[in-house]
Amino acid sequence: MSLEPRLSGRALVKTFGSTTALAGVDVDLADGESLAVMGPSGSGKSTLLHCLAGILVPDGGSVRLRGRDVGSLGDRERSLLRRTSYGFVFQFGQLLSELPAVENVALPAMLLGTPRKDATALAAQWLGSLGLAGMEGRRPGELSGGQAQRVAVARALITGPDVVFADEPTGALDQSTGHDVMRILVETTKAAGTSLVVVTHDAQVADWCDRRIEVRDGLVVGTAVRSR
Ligand SMILES: Nc1ncnc2c1ncn2[C@@H]1O[C@H](COP(=O)(O)OP(=O)(O)OP(=O)(O)O)[C@@H](O)[C@H]1O
Ligand SMILES: [Mg+2]
């Protein structure tokens, strides 16, 4: 493990009008580490995730990926960085409904220049390893919620990202299906050496992660390392 964190946020501040969503947050993410972000509704969890992922530009503070200052990048460079270095698993509307599962998974690799044939083969492998062999040709509407989320996990991982960001990926599922997807997300990112930031309200999900932070009113008010 390198001494420098893979991803770090320092003194992150983000305001929306008169609302202070982040009031000065420091967070580090080590190589391969999984971090659960917890806290009440409106506390700033999604804002933190979006700032770390370069989706939002913070008003103050800095974000570094492998020591590189993400804030110094222009919009185009930042969006390229998101495609090459990050994977995302969000709750709704993330899969393209008109494309079969295998093409949904292959797409991010193709956008980075992997030929269709190779990307499709790799996508089929990922689907297989997530328990979806035989479902490659199904469109998202022909999959259960849990299956669709596993397709989304495969899609987030196919490019071999440095970090996967997940915001309540199981919120739309029943608890047991949600737990299955979360366990697969945590285990698969760990096996791939990918770091993970996951926003969750579910203490059991946080238990599977290496570390958790508690966010309140835009500040980190607690942190806990998993006991083994
Ligand atoms: N685009 C926006 N415009 C205005 N206010 C925003 C915007 N995004 C977030 N906020 C405000 O910033 C604060 C933090 O929001 P955020 O979405 O980060 O909370 P959260 O912890 O993710 O909540 P939840 O658990 O409900 O998803 C809230 O007061 C919210 O209303
Ligand atoms: Mg949120």
Side-chain angles (χ1 to χ4, degrees), residues 24-149:
V25 170
D26 293 330
V27 61
D28 282 335
L29 190 66
D31 287 340
E33 184 180 36
S34 50
L35 175 72
V37 179
M38 304 193 76
S41 181
S43 58
K45 304 179 298 294
S46 295
T47 305
L48 174 60
L49 185 140
H50 292 155
C51 286
L52 289 173
I55 294 168
L56 280 177
V57 179
D59 302 311
S62 63
V63 175
R64 287 177 178 274
L65 175 69
R66 298 181 177 281
R68 184 178 181 205
D69 184 2
V70 175
S72 67
L73 304 177
D75 283 352
R76 274 184 55 184
E77 284 177 302
R78 240 179 333 109
S79 94
L80 183 65
L81 179 94
R82 283 200 301 272
R83 265 190 276 148
T84 54
S85 303
Y86 297 154
F88 295 94
V89 182
F90 289 151
Q91 191 173 334
F92 294 117
Q94 49 189 344
L95 299 176
L96 298 171
S97 59
E98 66 278 18
L99 292 184
V102 72
E103 287 185 32
N104 265 287
V105 176
L107 199 58
M110 285 166 57
L111 287 174
L112 294 183
T114 306
R116 173 182 287 271
K117 193 162 160 272
D118 300 342
T120 305
L122 190 58
Q125 260 179 40
W126 270 109
L127 288 174
S129 69
L130 289 165
L132 296 172
M135 301 193 187
E136 296 82 358
R138 294 214 203 161
R139 290 180 169 70
E142 300 163 339
L143 295 167
S144 73
Q147 289 165 346
Q149 284 301 75

